Amino acid sequence: MRRYDGDGPAADDGHGLQMDWSNRGKLAAFAVAPHTFRIRGKVGGDFAESTLHRYGILRKTGRTVAVETEETECSFTMRTEQTSLHIGHADGPITFRGSGKERLPLMISDLKIGAEGGFDIRFALTEEERLYGLGNAVPDRLQLRGSRAVLSATPDGSPVPIPFVMSSGGWGLLINTTWPHAFDLGQTNPGEMRITAEEGELDLYVFGGDDYRELLERYADIAGKPRLLPIWAYGLAYIRDMTTHDREVLDDVLKFRQEGIPCDLIGLGSGWNDTGNGEATDMRWHSTRFSAPTNGQDRSFTFMDMLQRHGFKLGLLMHCINYDLTAHAEFSVRQAAGSGTENASDPWYAHLRPFAGEGVASFRYSSYSQMGMETELDRKWANGMKDRELCNLYPVLLVKQTYDGYAEQTGKRPFIHCVSGYTGIQQFTALESGRYNSGVVAVVQALSMGLSGHAHTASHINVDMRESIHAGFLQPWSFINSGSYFRNPCVLEKPLRDMFRKYARLRYRLLPYVYSTAHVAARTGMPIARAMPLMFPDDPHCGELRQQYMLGPFLLVAVFTDRVYLPVGRWINYWTGETYNGGQTVSCTIPDEAGGPLFLREGSILPLWPEIEYVGQTEIKRMTLHIYPGERSRFTIYEDDGITLAHEQGHMAITEVSCESNAGQIAVQIGPRTGAYAGMPDKRSYELSVFTGGRPAGIELNGMPMPEKKTGDKAKSRTGWQYIRQTRCVQLQVTEDVRTGVRVMLSLGDPLASPCKERSMPEGGEATATASRSVSDEELILGLETMDREAIGILLVNWWNHEGDDWRLRLLHGCSLFISHVKRRGWTASEVWGKDLEPVYTMHRIRTPAQGLALLSCLARRMMDFARPPAGSDIHPVIRQALAIVEAELKQKLSLQQVAQRTNVHPFYLSRLFKRHVGQPFSSYILMQRMNRARSLLESGMKVYEAAAESGFQDPSHFSRVFAKYWGSPPETFKRPRRL
């Protein structure tokens, strides 16, 4: 056995040991970080620098690690401040153990090193252990226990195998080789994970961590962090069909802008290239399809110039087959080492440079058979490798040379996307997942790539499928690939086109949220789309979930399903505004204009941009913040120039936003921007939408009272706040203070603002109200019609305090009132209240007046929720027009057919729209409006026949019968004498 300090196996600094192993082999182990060890093994010769280190794909930590060593007759142990590695003599077991939380050890029960290369390692697994990673090597599974995979980026392998796996036991490992190898994760032996390779040296990293986040970050310290894309790449990319020409491209440009569908990139298929899909490197524009200017010619009004005028960037599909990338890779290594520049070789990017000079902003590689392996299995490449050793490395070298070349030529971030890769690929490219109609499997692959260190994996948007549109726009980046067809969203039938436009606009509004999350990925390796076990590692229900994930810290997305598991906490349905307690699986009613469930976590802070057609269309001086208060939450907004690599030198701005809710108060803090970047706006203002659930009693801005905007205030006025009943949120505008930031304090005064929980009552069981008075049944029901949460809260408490009634009888009477009101509006109790109706069936379990009032408060709030249009969506223009007709012509004869004809839609379609947006059938809404108007007129002193005529009734007798049935009393009981 030999110890070493800093002079160990090549390519690494560290402290550890080297010892003899079986089969005349030797084993080396050393600490590269306090939480990470590296283990190497081979037969004969010294340890050389690994290929992935040699070509700058894997990183060195550059850290000096303090290591304590202990040797006995039977074993050798190395300890750092966080982990330990125990190696038994005489080929004994190897145990890696983390510290801190109680974690399972990683135990290598058997390790064999092949005399001619290759290795065989066996790891013991516990019964409860869950495993994640391996890129998309297991394409249809997220949790890998019980599966097997061969890691080889070849046509008969997987497109992006990543030899990294992490365990719920608190350990992870990375195999450092480019040779094909296999993982058996308990398929053959349920209690054992086995890794085998026929060729290559044993070289593995083992990591310790308290959870998956730590393991992923520590893996990314070695394998490389995902680099930021240009900010426009997080928008929408549209890839044209293969045989397009320049005029068709310009037609698409105009269609996107005319339809109001935001989009940033137009990609061209292989038809742009005169040389086709072959191996030729003399690529050139197709002579008849594209008229591209040559050097020295005027570039104005070319198709590329017209793209840029409309805010589009251009991408090209490239084919690199059998090009020897290793020649330049070796030249670069020698050049960096100062060992001469002889035998210089052009990088692959040299053939792309002319197109980048013309303004091409993106390059795409669609094939993962770039080496043509089906014909030449025994050839040698310039670096001495054979095909089997190079197959995994080739796609990484390809995108690395493209990335480095583009960044050096333009000074901008490259946007490269491809379908194949291997360890370290996340540093250079975005990835496509699945094929055109692969649905759930494509999403699973993308999530598994996130669990393997890649932050920019997305699946195709199939524009003919609502579910695919939903999934595609709520991923790290979004793209449509027409392939050989015409998948243009601008030519879809109107309902689907409208839905696509809605999602595209939502995507672009969410860009500051997505981009800030991408910044987190670039610093920590935490992906943008986060598999549920990554976010909720201690929730056993999340371990196997394949059809839902978190987009950033706050948005829960479910795809190709209407069932969603909600972890512990409070959750808000983005489409409907309904709130749910976590710890349960719920079935969602998905609105017609949506393609799947979308939930917000309580405490969500969403920074939003205004609606734009493309990134860079206008300077963003005002940002919107949607805040859904929870007990305590925080979000960091990251901004930079969005184009260059200057952020890697610290040229960025950070804004901390926090929200705390406690004891009826909500505090929102917007910190001052720290840092700077080129083009940063001098001043930033914010439009806050705080979803309080009810009207606040008052608001303070930086310690000073803020006035409420009154009805009729000029829209230009920026001072003051207003409460929006439809969305139950408070809106106000603030301007940043560059020194102290902004603090907004909201005091809540709405007894119905919180979820359905038991409310405290004074001793003795009697509720009190601010202005106590007797409230009739009719006044309570009328209060529900006003949709004023503050008013109904006071009315309900005063109604509850009716003298002489036993509170149990009062509760029974209140439930009966609410159910009758729901039926009168044409609804059913189950669709309005759902599970919240269950306490009504078990009323005998309600034991205190406080519980009774809490139940009625819950039922009242749910009724008002049900009557409102979906939160987060604008009312349909047709419905807005129909409501205006009803309001203006209520005293005239109105029918569904008449209004449908005047709004140019079919009556059936109007009926569906009306119920979805207004919450009740057209006829019920007309009756409600007429009855409310009639009652108001009678109470103002109008005669019965006059009120009938003004409410649309020609026959006063008929009016009296309808009125009495609706309100439970004849019109005369509401009539008040006019004052002289």
Side-chain angles (χ1 to χ4, degrees):
M1 180 181 299
R2 177 170 65 87
R3 304 185 191 184
Y4 59 82
D5 291 291
D7 62 344
D12 285 276
D13 296 327
H15 304 278
L17 62 87
Q18 182 172 302
M19 60 190 299
D20 293 332
W21 204 252
S22 62
N23 199 28
R24 301 190 308 278
K26 54 186 175 182
L27 190 77
F30 47 97
V32 298
H35 42 67
T36 304
F37 279 89
R38 185 179 180 189
I39 301 172
R40 304 189 68 179
K42 66 175 300 185
V43 174
D46 295 328
F47 291 103
E49 184 180 36
S50 76
T51 300
L52 292 174
H53 279 109
R54 177 175 177 79
Y55 292 145
I57 296 167
L58 291 188
R59 310 287 174 163
K60 300 178 185 178
T61 63
R63 303 175 66 175
T64 301
V65 185
V67 179
E68 295 180 359
T69 61
E70 178 184 348
E71 186 173 7
T72 69
E73 293 182 359
C74 300
S75 64
F76 190 91
T77 303
M78 293 182 289
R79 293 188 183 89
T80 70
E81 59 181 297
Q82 296 185 26
T83 54
S84 66
L85 189 70
H86 181 91
I87 303 175
H89 290 339
D91 305 344
I94 301 173
T95 303
F96 172 79
R97 189 184 298 273
S99 62
K101 292 183 179 179
E102 188 65 29
R103 292 296 172 186
L104 299 172
L106 170 64
M107 181 178 291
I108 301 176
S109 57
D110 189 24
L111 188 160
K112 291 184 173 60
I113 305 169
E116 303 298 327
F119 51 84
D120 186 342
I121 325 173
R122 298 171 186 256
F123 304 81
L125 297 174
T126 63
E127 185 176 351
E128 302 82 12
E129 220 164 342
R130 298 187 299 274
L131 303 172
Y132 301 94
L134 294 190
N136 59 21
V138 185
D140 59 346
R141 295 186 60 173
L142 196 65
Q143 202 284 104
L144 305 178
R145 185 75 180 266
S147 64
R148 186 181 185 278
V150 176
L151 276 70
S152 177
T154 59
D156 57 348
S158 56
V160 195
I162 306 294
F164 166 72
V165 67
M166 55 183 175
S167 162
S168 57
W171 57 261
L173 65 85
L174 166 67
I175 300 295
N176 179 16
T177 183
T178 65
W179 291 93
H181 53 287
F183 276 73
D184 187 323
L185 301 106
Q187 184 185 78
T188 303
N189 181 350
E192 178 182 86
M193 178 175 73
R194 185 179 182 185
I195 307 174
T196 56
E198 297 178 359
E199 300 167 279
E201 296 179 7
L202 168 67
D203 190 348
L204 67 90
Y205 287 87
V206 288
F207 313 91
D210 282 340
D211 54 30
Y212 299 125
R213 295 185 188 210
E214 281 193 353
L215 293 172
L216 203 53
E217 182 170 7
R218 291 165 181 179
Y219 158 74
D221 287 340
I222 301 295
K225 307 285 175 57
R227 293 180 179 174
L228 280 176
L229 308 178
I231 190 168
W232 52 262
Y234 295 96
L236 176 63
Y238 171 64
I239 302 170
R240 281 280 326 191
D241 60 280
M242 295 294 186
T243 59
T244 190
H245 55 72
D246 50 11
R247 183 166 293 280
E248 290 177 336
V249 173
L250 295 181
D251 286 343
D252 280 339
V253 165
L254 295 177
K255 286 175 184 175
F256 272 100
R257 296 297 179 245
Q258 289 167 358
E259 287 292 336
I261 298 176
C263 186
D264 265 272
L265 177 71
I266 293 284
L268 302 183
S270 57
W272 72 270
N273 185 2
D274 229 353
T275 57
N277 300 344
E279 303 174 17
T281 55
D282 58 339
M283 293 173 287
R284 57 185 178 269
W285 290 103
H286 197 284
S287 56
T288 59
R289 293 178 182 165
F290 293 91
S291 54
T294 58
N295 291 334
Q297 287 185 321
D298 181 13
R299 296 175 182 268
S300 300
F301 296 99
T302 62
F303 88 96
M304 199 176 299
D305 175 62
M306 296 306 295
L307 288 180
Q308 294 169 353
R309 287 172 184 248
H310 287 85
F312 279 90
K313 297 82 182 171
L314 182 65
L316 298 181
L317 174 64
M318 293 293 174
H319 290 276
C320 175
I321 300 177
N322 293 324
Y323 187 85
D324 197 338
L325 302 167
T326 69
H328 180 74
E330 284 296 317
F331 168 73
S332 297
V333 171
R334 293 194 305 271
Q335 189 179 43
S339 58
T341 58
E342 68 279 359
N343 300 321
S345 176
D346 287 337
W348 163 252
Y349 185 76
H351 309 290
L352 277 57
R353 184 177 295 271
F355 303 104
E358 293 175 349
V360 173
S362 173
F363 297 101
R364 173 173 173 258
Y365 299 101
S366 65
S367 174
Y368 61 91
S369 59
Q370 293 123 339
M371 294 168 51
M373 290 185 59
E374 64 279 0
T375 57
E376 300 181 61
L377 295 178
D378 297 325
R379 62 184 164 187
K380 275 194 175 182
W381 298 78
N383 65 350
M385 287 185 175
K386 291 187 177 182
D387 283 358
R388 278 179 56 81
E389 186 177 4
L390 186 62
C391 64
N392 288 329
L393 178 63
Y394 194 95
V396 184
L397 290 180
L398 176 62
V399 295
K400 183 179 186 299
Q401 291 184 13
T402 305
Y403 187 100
D404 292 343
Y406 185 90
E408 180 274 330
Q409 179 185 0
T410 66
K412 300 177 181 179
R413 302 174 212 170
F415 179 38
I416 309 162
H417 50 117
C418 60
V419 299
S420 59
Y422 192 63
T423 307
I425 193 76
Q426 67 273 4
Q427 303 171 65
F428 313 111
T429 183
L431 284 170
E432 301 178 16
S433 174
R435 291 302 182 191
Y436 300 108
N437 296 307
S438 46
V440 174
V441 173
V443 174
V444 172
Q445 291 181 30
L447 294 178
S448 192
M449 289 301 303
L451 289 165
S452 307
H454 201 288
H456 296 114
T457 308
S459 58
H460 295 249
I461 296 178
N462 186 338
V463 298
D464 288 332
M465 293 180 59
R466 289 155 36 94
E467 296 86 351
S468 183
I469 294 171
H470 172 81
F473 274 115
L474 297 172
Q475 292 190 26
W477 63 289
S478 301
F479 73 105
I480 307 165
N481 186 358
S482 289
S484 301
Y485 300 95
F486 302 96
R487 296 182 171 91
N488 190 323
C490 300
V491 298
L492 295 171
E493 59 274 23
K494 190 177 186 305
L496 204 56
R497 185 169 74 250
D498 290 343
M499 176 186 164
F500 190 96
R501 182 189 300 109
K502 174 182 176 177
Y503 270 93
R505 289 178 176 177
L506 173 62
R507 173 76 190 188
Y508 274 74
R509 292 212 70 195
L510 283 170
L511 280 181
Y513 173 77
V514 174
Y515 193 62
S516 296
T517 307
H519 259 281
V520 173
R523 293 184 351 269
T524 68
M526 186 70 169
I528 300 169
R530 303 167 179 178
M532 297 299 286
L534 188 58
M535 291 292 286
F536 305 96
D538 298 325
D539 189 332
H541 294 90
C542 290
E544 305 273 357
L545 294 176
R546 306 187 322 145
Q547 290 180 251
Q548 63 183 79
Y549 53 89
M550 296 295 295
L551 185 68
F554 297 130
L555 293 176
L556 194 162
V557 183
V559 295
F560 302 98
T561 182
D562 61 356
R563 291 179 59 78
V564 187
Y565 173 73
L566 303 175
V568 173
R570 293 285 293 175
W571 298 85
I572 303 103
N573 187 322
Y574 179 82
W575 305 123
T576 67
E578 294 173 291
T579 58
Y580 296 82
N581 285 316
Q584 62 173 326
T585 298
V586 299
S587 295
C588 305
T589 300
I590 302 170
D592 290 346
E593 65 273 13
L598 179 61
F599 282 81
L600 293 148
R601 199 175 186 178
E602 187 178 63
S604 294
I605 300 173
L606 299 181
L608 304 171
W609 275 354
E611 288 193 355
I612 55 175
E613 293 183 333
Y614 58 90
V615 174
Q617 180 182 14
T618 183
E619 184 180 29
I620 308 296
K621 293 184 177 181
R622 181 187 300 176
M623 189 178 291
T624 299
L625 294 176
H626 280 194
I627 299 173
Y628 299 79
E631 184 176 343
R632 182 175 299 171
S633 60
R634 181 180 300 273
F635 188 78
T636 303
I637 303 172
Y638 291 89
E639 299 175 273
D640 55 38
D641 63 32
I643 299 172
T644 72
L645 298 166
H647 65 284
E648 295 181 352
Q649 283 71 51
H651 297 285
M652 67 175 75
I654 295 174
T655 305
E656 298 282 356
V657 183
S658 64
C659 178
E660 293 187 20
S661 179
N662 185 34
Q665 288 193 322
I666 299 171
V668 177
Q669 180 76 44
I670 306 173
R673 284 179 294 172
T674 59
Y677 58 90
M680 185 172 79
D682 295 333
K683 184 169 284 190
R684 167 64 51 75
S685 63
Y686 298 91
E687 182 176 292
L688 272 63
S689 291
V690 185
F691 292 81
T692 56
R695 180 188 297 276
I699 294 180
E700 292 182 357
L701 175 61
N702 296 326
M704 300 296 293
M706 194 177 192
E708 181 180 5
K709 287 183 180 180
K710 302 301 181 182
T711 304
D713 283 354
K714 293 183 179 179
K716 294 181 179 179
S717 174
R718 295 187 179 183
T719 60
W721 58 272
Q722 59 181 354
Y723 176 67
I724 311 300
R725 292 179 179 174
Q726 288 78 8
T727 54
R728 293 166 290 163
C729 77
V730 175
Q731 290 185 349
L732 63 150
Q733 293 182 22
V734 299
T735 302
E736 70 173 350
D737 187 304
V738 296
R739 294 177 294 106
T740 62
V742 177
R743 184 172 178 84
V744 178
M745 182 70 72
L746 302 92
S747 299
L748 301 181
D750 179 4
L752 293 182
S754 59
C756 298
K757 298 178 181 177
E758 178 177 341
R759 308 182 190 283
S760 61
M761 297 185 68
E763 190 173 351
E766 292 187 357
T768 60
T770 305
S772 181
R773 67 177 181 86
S774 179
V775 172
S776 68
D777 295 348
E778 291 78 11
E779 287 178 296
L780 181 60
I781 296 301
L782 186 60
L784 288 172
E785 298 290 356
T786 66
M787 305 280 284
D788 189 327
R789 297 173 70 87
E790 181 179 7
I792 189 58
I794 296 172
L795 285 170
L796 182 58
V797 171
N798 288 330
W799 177 90
W800 179 259
N801 285 336
H802 192 272
E803 293 184 4
D805 276 1
D806 178 80
W807 68 267
R808 291 186 180 276
L809 293 177
R810 201 71 178 154
L811 174 60
L812 186 63
H813 181 54
C815 291
S816 177
L817 271 179
F818 288 173
I819 292 172
S820 297
H821 175 64
V822 162
K823 290 182 177 179
R824 188 163 57 244
R825 296 195 66 176
W827 307 330
T828 65
S830 59
E831 69 177 336
V832 173
W833 291 303
K835 290 185 177 180
D836 290 324
L837 197 61
E838 292 178 3
V840 177
Y841 303 138
T842 57
M843 203 174 294
H844 61 279
R845 297 180 181 176
I846 298 177
R847 302 189 182 278
T848 66
Q851 292 174 336
L853 178 57
L855 173 58
L856 291 179
S857 298
C858 179
L859 297 179
R861 184 168 62 85
R862 290 297 187 216
M863 275 192 289
M864 291 187 287
D865 289 348
F866 190 83
R868 290 188 180 92
S873 62
D874 295 330
I875 192 168
H876 197 285
V878 169
I879 299 303
R880 191 180 297 114
Q881 185 181 357
L883 292 176
I885 293 172
V886 171
E887 183 178 2
E889 304 176 21
L890 190 61
K891 62 186 296 184
Q892 302 176 21
K893 184 178 180 180
L894 287 171
S895 68
L896 180 68
Q897 287 73 18
Q898 289 173 327
V899 176
Q901 185 176 10
R902 293 174 62 179
T903 54
N904 297 313
V905 296
H906 193 278
F908 178 75
Y909 182 57
L910 177 61
S911 176
R912 290 184 59 195
L913 274 181
F914 203 92
K915 182 152 188 193
R916 186 167 71 244
H917 284 271
V918 180
Q920 58 184 310
F922 179 82
S923 58
S924 299
Y925 179 78
I926 293 291
L927 179 61
M928 180 188 71
Q929 294 298 314
R930 286 176 169 165
M931 292 295 99
N932 285 338
R933 176 180 289 189
R935 177 169 173 165
S936 177
L937 294 174
L938 290 168
E939 290 176 342
S940 70
M942 189 173 285
K943 296 179 180 179
V944 173
Y945 73 88
E946 293 175 329
E950 290 296 323
S951 304
F953 289 86
Q954 302 302 317
D955 184 352
S957 299
H958 176 62
F959 164 74
S960 296
R961 289 194 299 271
V962 173
F963 189 96
K965 184 178 180 181
Y966 189 89
W967 290 112
S969 298
E972 289 77 8
T973 60
F974 293 88
K975 187 175 179 299
R976 296 176 184 175
R978 294 179 177 175
R979 294 181 180 179
L980 299 177

